Amino acid sequence: MTVTALLGEIADVGRDGRRGGYSRHGFAPVEGELRTWFVEQAQRRGLDVRTDRNGNLWAWWGTPGPNAVITGSHLDSVPGGGAFDGPLGVAASLSAVDLLRSGGFQPGRPLAIGVFSEEEGGRFGVPCLGSRLMTGSLDPDAARRLTDSDGITLAEAASSAGVDPARFGRDDEALADIGCFVELHVEQGRAMDLLDDRPSVAVASSILAHGRWRFTVTGVGNHAGTTEVPDRRDPMLPAAAAVLAARRALGGRAGARATVGRLTPTPGGTNVIASSVDFWLDARAPEEAPVREVVEEITAAARAAAAEEGCELSVRQESFGDTVLFDPALRDRLAAELGGVPVLPTGAGHDAGILASRVPTAMLFVRNPTGISHAPAEHAEPADCEAGAAALARTLESLCRDEP
Ligand code: GLV
Ligand code: MN
Ligand code: MN
């Protein structure tokens, strides 16, 4: 099947009528529907599907075992996300299996498609939950305690989705089977589209260092009409100071990004001075040091504004991942075998970035003509998606021919 046909089958699953695009959160019923769809697709192809202890799905072509070639991506989305971030890699993996089959190929190494749980962290805050738990870079106790905005713990959500949270944790057995991992993904910027030949496919070189922090400012809830300025202890002011500091902190720091994309006042009434404000900072840069500097600068601005307004501030790191440099030999080999396609860095996080610390890992990107991502307008042209699947099939075929 083509990538376009596969994505068409899930085009109505998890549409968000309020935000636009899709809201497909980890361990939620909508993601469950997508996982069921994937299992059916895999079984139709005779693949043997297993769920690992962290809720990741593995669809095996051939007997599971060591030194396997793994491809795949994720099916969850950010709130109001696009159709391609994640599902494109899953659909391209299924389509690549079809292309290999129709060419009469039989893998000489075990080959599997992995679908990782809660990659975006859109529900529980920590991105790449499935791959972090699997590699041991996230403590399972801390993971079980994570809560979503309705107060549901990850442990409860996993149980409802049929995954036993007591089994969360580093999965040396699953890791031992992975010989290498290649994730195909829509590009999340415009670098490919700005190249003269606007290539369909590129290979990734690196991912920015990236962390998320939760800020809570506590003030005094009060009446918007009757509270005189000297009596106000409004937590929205330190929050606003932090938002402005986030933009200022980027000046002079090449490649750094700082974003406040989520802010929740409590209780959240138009005529109410909030009693507290929670907001989340996403900070990234080519190395860890500038990320830390940016966060310190923003925290200092929030702290000064909180003191001035008589508010309390607390700051907690929710996740951090250092710079990822993809395996240079695999990167160069893939780029050469695909006819000299460009090699590009990215600012977006991926399960491939988590796995890169444990196994040789690479990524293929498919051109995104607008560069928009994490938004309903995210797009990739059908011809580029099919070219991506063909490139992935060529890559898997080549990797499967390697001697163990
Ligand atoms: C995920 O796509 C991220 O970069 O946050
Ligand atoms: Mn993704
Ligand atoms: Mn994403």
Side-chain angles (χ1 to χ4, degrees), residues 74 78 85 119-120 188 374:
H74 61 98
V78 295
D85 178 354
E119 190 272 348
E120 299 288 3
Q188 294 175 280
H374 283 185

Side-chain angles (χ1 to χ4, degrees), residues 334-350:
L334 264 51
E337 287 179 353
L338 295 174
V341 298
V343 175
L344 301 166
T346 178
H350 301 284

